[in-house]
Amino acid sequence: VYTKTLEAIMTNQDNRPVILTGDRPTGQLHLGHFVGSLRSRVGLQDSHHQHLLLADAQALTDNADNFEKVRRNILEVATDYLAVGIDPTKTTICVQSCLPALNELTMLYLNFVTVSRLERNPTIKAEIQLRGFERDIPAGFLCYPVAQAADITAFKATVVPVGEDQIPMIEQTNEIVRRLNRQIGQEVLPECKALLSNMSRLPGFDGKAKMSKSLGNTIVLDATDKDIKKAVNAMYTDPNHLRIEDPGQVEGNIVFTYLDAFDPNKEEVEELKAHYRRGGLGDGTVKKRLEGVLKELITPIRERRMELAKDPDYIMDILKTGTEKCRIITQDTLDEIKNGLGVFHF
């Protein structure tokens, strides 16, 4: 099966679009990842050549003091992938730091990008402010848009699932692609398009910011029933909805935000919203429904994850096989670019 999959990827005989996506292994994945990308990845693996990159090298740009954290979470995130339904015979899972061609492409691309252009990248500017780097910016962090461009182009990906905040990264990748193609004199690399999620970024259950591992406001994919209940009970609703009979506001109500994201019965959710707006529907009732929805979603994922965790060698074999495939793909792209640029190599 793996051999046939590799042959299909290498030749792309069926001309399916190529997707590159992935995650930084800095902790377990959570519901924000699920609604933002994991759910769509499961569906896309049948219609696309999909590569999932465990971006451990990128994770080190702001975790260089904790290599062990990143290394440990490679296995955790891979387990999450399999638990939600990623099929390794359809989606290739690989480890970024084990693909040497990516580093070499990054070094080449850095010659086609200025420091001022990197500093103008809106995503980088926002992340620098969020982390309080000011002028003490790790060089690896400032340059990670270039490394991301290397990741995307090494696989010749034409589709990259991202959030809206990552669109500047796609634009910068395409700038590099256009400049490189001009330098070579032919279109060696394709431009890529951003595939945006239907769901905007999921707020944390505290309602104060996006769901984020670093902020501790997440619901992980193997959360226990007790964890789910605690998180749902902590969600704020409408502070002016003091009595059940009072009309309530749905907009900005975190419980309804989560129901919109995860409740499969959209018609009933709309009826609940109408009931809440006119009064007569208590917050406890709405939270109880959300708790049930999340338990129904997470329980099978948690159970699959527990089974997978019993056999870490199986997960490691998947990572090794996927990485070996991707080493060939990325090296071929590097060789093609070197030939086009006239870079000396054996």
Side-chain angles (χ1 to χ4, degrees):
V1 173
Y2 283 126
T3 303
K4 290 180 180 178
T5 304
L6 175 58
E7 184 180 351
I9 291 170
M10 296 294 292
T11 60
N12 199 7
Q13 292 174 345
D14 51 9
N15 293 316
R16 285 187 291 162
V18 177
I19 284 186
L20 178 72
T21 182
D23 298 281
R24 290 156 41 102
T26 54
Q28 276 187 249
L29 302 184
H30 50 68
L31 287 181
H33 295 111
F34 182 83
V35 74
S37 59
L38 291 177
R39 186 163 55 186
S40 64
R41 292 175 191 174
V42 173
L44 290 168
Q45 64 186 346
D46 287 316
S47 56
H48 294 69
H49 285 300
Q50 182 168 247
H51 306 282
L52 271 180
L53 185 70
L54 288 159
D56 58 331
Q58 183 180 324
L60 292 173
T61 61
D62 57 347
N63 286 278
D65 59 342
N66 199 343
F67 275 67
E68 171 58 26
K69 170 188 172 184
V70 176
R71 188 195 67 79
R72 182 181 67 250
N73 280 300
I74 289 173
L75 204 61
E76 294 292 332
V77 174
T79 305
D80 284 332
Y81 287 163
L82 300 176
V84 300
I86 294 295
D87 183 342
T89 68
K90 298 177 180 179
T91 294
T92 310
I93 307 174
C94 58
V95 181
Q96 185 182 44
S97 63
C98 297
L99 303 175
L102 301 182
N103 295 325
E104 201 166 342
L105 282 172
T106 300
M107 288 300 297
L108 277 172
Y109 293 175
L110 282 170
N111 297 300
F112 295 89
V113 181
T114 64
V115 172
S116 62
R117 175 64 183 92
L118 291 170
E119 290 178 332
R120 289 198 307 272
N121 186 306
T123 305
I124 291 294
K125 288 171 68 175
E127 293 289 340
I128 288 172
Q129 185 175 9
L130 178 66
R131 288 166 170 77
F133 284 149
E134 296 182 356
R135 292 305 300 169
D136 293 323
I137 310 166
F141 187 86
L142 181 65
C143 296
Y144 92 72
V146 181
Q148 192 166 341
D151 296 340
I152 294 168
T153 57
F155 290 91
K156 296 192 175 181
T158 54
V159 181
V160 184
V162 293
E164 286 190 15
D165 62 321
Q166 292 292 308
I167 290 178
M169 310 295 271
I170 302 300
E171 292 172 348
Q172 188 143 31
T173 294
N174 286 335
E175 286 178 16
I176 292 172
V177 166
R178 287 191 289 270
R179 186 163 181 189
L180 209 67
N181 285 340
R182 284 198 302 271
Q183 182 81 7
I184 294 172
Q186 57 180 311
E187 291 191 9
V188 173
L189 298 174
E191 293 191 31
C192 60
K193 294 182 179 179
L195 178 64
L196 297 178
S197 169
N198 293 328
M199 176 73 188
S200 58
R201 284 204 163 190
L202 191 72
F205 62 75
D206 57 4
K208 295 179 181 178
K210 68 178 183 179
M211 186 171 278
S212 168
K213 291 173 281 192
S214 60
L215 296 174
N217 59 0
T218 66
I219 302 175
V220 293
L221 296 178
D222 65 346
T224 64
D225 287 355
K226 184 178 179 180
D227 293 334
I228 295 168
K229 183 180 182 67
K230 182 179 179 181
V232 172
N233 285 340
M235 292 180 183
Y236 77 84
T237 52
D238 176 3
N240 297 316
H241 189 236
L242 303 178
R243 297 172 301 177
I244 291 177
E245 59 268 25
D246 291 340
Q249 184 171 322
V250 169
E251 291 72 23
N253 188 317
I254 298 299
V255 178
F256 279 107
T257 300
Y258 274 63
L259 285 173
D260 281 336
F262 299 108
D263 195 318
N265 196 324
K266 304 304 180 187
E267 186 176 336
E268 287 188 9
V269 171
E270 291 304 315
E271 290 174 0
L272 284 172
K273 289 180 181 178
H275 192 174
Y276 193 79
R277 287 188 177 107
R278 67 175 179 265
L281 180 61
D283 292 332
T285 302
V286 182
K287 286 187 174 184
K288 193 69 177 175
R289 181 183 180 100
L290 176 59
E291 182 184 338
V293 167
L294 294 183
K295 285 180 180 178
E296 188 173 349
L297 171 68
I298 290 176
T299 297
I301 296 174
R302 180 177 67 237
E303 291 175 351
R304 285 195 297 269
R305 201 182 191 287
M306 289 173 65
E307 285 301 311
L308 288 162
K310 294 176 182 177
D311 192 359
D313 289 341
Y314 167 70
I315 299 169
M316 278 302 231
D317 284 343
I318 288 172
L319 293 180
K320 288 177 182 177
T321 302
T323 301
E324 286 169 6
K325 295 176 186 177
C326 294
R327 195 174 288 133
I328 297 170
I329 295 168
T330 55
Q331 185 62 46
D332 283 351
T333 300
L334 173 62
D335 290 344
E336 189 176 2
I337 291 173
K338 279 184 169 182
N339 287 333
L341 291 173
V343 177
F344 179 82
H345 69 106
F346 293 106

